[in-house]
Amino acid sequence: MGGVSENFHGVMNQKPKYILVAGIGKSNFIGQLYLSIHKKYPKKFDIDILGLRLFSNLEKGKYAECFTNQFKIRKSIEIKDLINIFNFKLYLHLFRFIRFGASANYLYSFFKEFVVYATMSKKILKNNYDIIHFHFPTKEKLALFWHIGRNQKYVVSFWGSDLMRVNGVFNYYIQKKVLRDAYKITTHSLELKDQILTKFGRDLRDKIFLTKFPPEEKLYRILDEYSPKIDLIRIRFLQEFNFPLTKNLIVIGHNGFRENNHIQILKQLSNIPLEIKEKCYFILPFSYKNAKDNLYEKECLQELSRSDFSGKILDTFLSWEELALLKLCTKVYIHLPVSDALSGSLTEAMYAGSEVITGKWLPYSPFEDAGLSYYSINDFSELPQIFELAISKNPDQNSALANKEKIRDYFFPDFCAKTWFSVLEN
């Protein structure tokens, strides 16, 4: 793993590194990352972005200081693109893709995308970037990769599901090819680093750096503001959302996807003692859910009823203030997804003082390394016993404050920016 460095090489007036960002279109994560780097290291980097979701008018003002250019992507083929149909590289790639089992649909979409990007990239790559930073390296997010020069330095950043939930021979071929010539590779934990080495080869060891994505500090500022007066505003919040005033709020998961294992969690907890069950109110956040899976919400409601739990599906989009209040009012937060990278919802819950239960199969060594206090289970069968411990635990102000301090020290933007410096500066 590369170490965190703030060595400016003794050159105070060094020309800023020119970086182009490409890949996943989640402007909230991308914007927050490069804004924190810009604030920590002003004038060290000159950053453009390509192929990312356009920022809203509100965000444009927020991120204007850290992005020089934001290039729009184009999906439709124009007349000026037609010359690229005769590009030999296009057919060489297609031939290789067919050998490794690419689907007809992907071959067609790649053909169209390649023809468009061949035109776009000529203009963009004239900027002679020091580094191109590819986020979320799945085949759908690498359109620019096929057009960069042989000597172009590029960094590849895994987010989590782009490593853990991507499989098949063709996807392996694509990622192996991208990693082979990468200048540096980043991920979030030792577990994910080991997955990369196991999957793609131990020769990548010296290329891999551990980094952290900074959180949106707004929620934490609101948590700090509301925490001292939560007893005064708690009742009004609970009444507004029709939550019971005298029960412990238990939140399961952070969205409405099956991968959060809501039903398996509820089934395991169905046999807890009745006196504990009657004191709990279960909340399943479903503001974000799989639009193609209409049955899952109904199945979760049926399981709540079958297990004789009081609770509800919370499908309302919460404001920052409402989200902070929910976290401050939550007694236990249960997060046991199939896979995850490094959950921001866990640090938020721990920062708010909730008892957190998660799984040891998740790559959460950064939480352990920071010394955060939470419960962790090896298997779902252990959940009832651990839940009884968590729900019966008396509030511990010292433990809650210790978690807060550690989260500030190891997961806030200032520290996260340092983890990226040695990746992008050298």
Side-chain angles (χ1 to χ4, degrees):
M1 181 188 77
V4 175
S5 171
E6 295 183 81
N7 179 13
F8 284 10
H9 305 290
V11 184
M12 298 305 293
N13 58 349
Q14 181 180 342
K15 181 181 177 182
K17 285 290 178 69
Y18 201 9
I19 297 172
L20 175 66
V21 180
I24 194 169
K26 291 188 176 181
S27 61
N28 53 337
F29 289 104
I30 294 294
Q32 188 64 26
L33 168 60
Y34 293 103
L35 181 60
S36 67
I37 292 173
H38 173 77
K39 288 181 176 180
K40 180 67 178 175
Y41 304 104
K43 300 181 180 179
K44 292 296 293 181
F45 302 102
D46 188 356
I47 303 173
D48 294 345
I49 56 176
L50 165 70
L52 304 178
R53 189 178 303 149
L54 293 178
F55 296 120
S56 67
N57 289 331
L58 181 63
E59 290 173 324
K60 281 179 182 177
K62 180 178 180 180
Y63 299 124
E65 61 181 299
C66 60
F67 291 117
T68 304
N69 297 296
Q70 185 177 4
F71 299 109
K72 296 180 181 180
I73 60 171
R74 175 168 54 85
K75 295 185 177 181
S76 58
I77 297 177
E78 297 179 355
I79 293 176
K80 61 184 176 181
D81 303 321
L82 297 179
I83 187 65
N84 301 320
I85 293 174
F86 303 101
N87 189 319
F88 174 74
K89 286 173 60 178
L90 168 60
Y91 299 98
L92 184 61
H93 291 318
L94 290 173
F95 173 73
R96 289 172 176 165
F97 292 172
I98 291 170
R99 283 182 58 206
F100 286 94
S103 68
N105 284 340
Y106 178 74
L107 293 172
Y108 175 67
S109 64
F110 178 84
F111 182 93
K112 289 172 56 182
E113 190 175 63
F114 185 97
V115 169
V116 172
Y117 267 79
T119 301
M120 290 172 48
S121 63
K122 287 177 184 177
K123 179 180 179 181
I124 295 170
L125 296 179
K126 282 182 180 179
N127 292 320
N128 295 320
Y129 293 99
D130 295 303
I131 292 174
I132 297 178
H133 192 175
F134 290 103
H135 287 271
F136 209 87
T138 61
K139 62 182 184 293
E140 296 84 6
K141 307 298 182 184
L142 292 166
L144 183 68
F145 172 77
W146 310 105
H147 303 276
I148 63 176
R150 182 173 296 178
N151 296 321
Q152 173 67 61
K153 285 184 178 180
Y154 64 91
V155 172
V156 177
S157 289
F158 282 101
W159 287 39
S161 60
D162 50 348
L163 176 65
M164 294 182 285
R165 299 184 190 176
V166 172
N167 50 44
V169 174
F170 178 53
N171 288 313
Y172 174 81
Y173 162 73
I174 294 290
Q175 292 189 324
K176 176 81 171 179
K177 180 177 178 62
V178 172
L179 296 181
R180 182 188 63 197
D181 296 322
Y183 175 51
K184 291 175 182 176
I185 302 162
T186 77
T187 190
H188 314 314
S189 68
L190 289 171
E191 296 94 332
L192 292 179
K193 176 181 178 179
D194 194 57
Q195 282 194 38
I196 295 171
L197 295 174
T198 301
K199 190 173 183 179
F200 300 108
R202 297 283 165 179
D203 57 312
L204 298 175
R205 178 179 297 277
D206 293 339
K207 289 185 177 185
I208 302 177
F209 289 68
L210 299 187
T211 56
K212 292 178 181 176
F213 278 87
E216 169 57 70
E217 286 188 279
K218 183 173 183 177
L219 178 63
Y220 291 92
R221 288 195 295 269
I222 298 173
L223 287 171
D224 285 338
E225 177 188 349
Y226 284 177
S227 181
K229 53 186 178 183
I230 186 60
D231 291 338
L232 299 176
I233 54 180
R234 182 176 182 272
I235 293 178
R236 186 176 63 186
F237 168 74
L238 295 176
Q239 290 175 332
E240 182 178 347
F241 283 86
N242 293 317
F243 297 149
L245 303 182
T246 58
K247 292 191 176 187
N248 294 307
L249 298 191
I250 315 299
V251 175
I252 300 177
H254 70 288
N255 62 41
F257 286 77
R258 287 183 183 268
E259 288 79 5
N260 278 261
N261 285 320
H262 304 92
I263 292 176
Q264 192 168 354
I265 291 169
L266 291 171
K267 284 182 176 179
Q268 287 292 334
L269 294 178
S270 62
N271 294 319
I272 60 175
L274 182 61
E275 62 268 22
I276 294 179
K277 187 180 293 189
E278 289 178 342
K279 295 177 182 178
C280 296
Y281 187 82
F282 291 84
I283 300 170
L284 281 59
F286 268 56
S287 53
Y288 293 96
K289 56 188 175 183
N290 187 351
K292 298 179 181 179
D293 189 359
N294 296 322
L295 291 176
Y296 187 57
E297 183 173 342
K298 182 179 179 180
E299 292 170 10
C300 287
L301 286 171
Q302 289 174 341
E303 188 59 42
L304 276 170
S305 176
R306 187 182 300 117
S307 299
D308 200 25
F309 288 129
S310 61
K312 69 184 295 186
I313 298 286
L314 183 62
D315 55 7
T316 307
F317 283 94
L318 303 181
S319 67
W320 287 108
E321 291 75 15
E322 291 167 341
L323 182 60
L325 287 169
L326 176 60
K327 291 181 182 296
L328 288 168
C329 293
T330 298
K331 172 66 176 179
V332 179
Y333 176 57
I334 304 174
H335 185 68
L336 299 170
V338 173
S339 61
D340 194 21
L342 198 61
S343 177
S345 62
L346 256 71
T347 51
E348 292 163 2
M350 285 186 272
Y351 194 88
S354 302
E355 300 297 332
V356 168
I357 303 174
T358 189
K360 290 184 179 179
W361 60 87
L362 299 167
Y364 289 166
S365 60
F367 295 147
E368 296 176 15
D369 294 342
L372 292 173
S373 176
Y374 59 97
Y375 296 94
S376 188
I377 62 173
N378 291 296
D379 186 81
F380 278 85
S381 61
E382 298 176 2
L383 180 59
Q385 180 181 1
I386 297 300
F387 179 77
E388 288 185 39
L389 288 175
I391 198 67
S392 61
K393 184 178 179 181
N394 293 322
D396 185 345
Q397 290 297 324
N398 291 332
S399 177
L401 287 174
N403 270 353
K404 267 191 175 185
E405 291 175 3
K406 290 168 183 175
I407 290 169
R408 290 193 191 104
D409 289 343
Y410 294 103
F411 297 94
F412 267 32
D414 189 68
F415 180 84
C416 293
K418 294 179 184 178
T419 68
W420 289 94
F421 184 81
S422 56
V423 174
L424 300 176
E425 198 277 339
N426 295 323

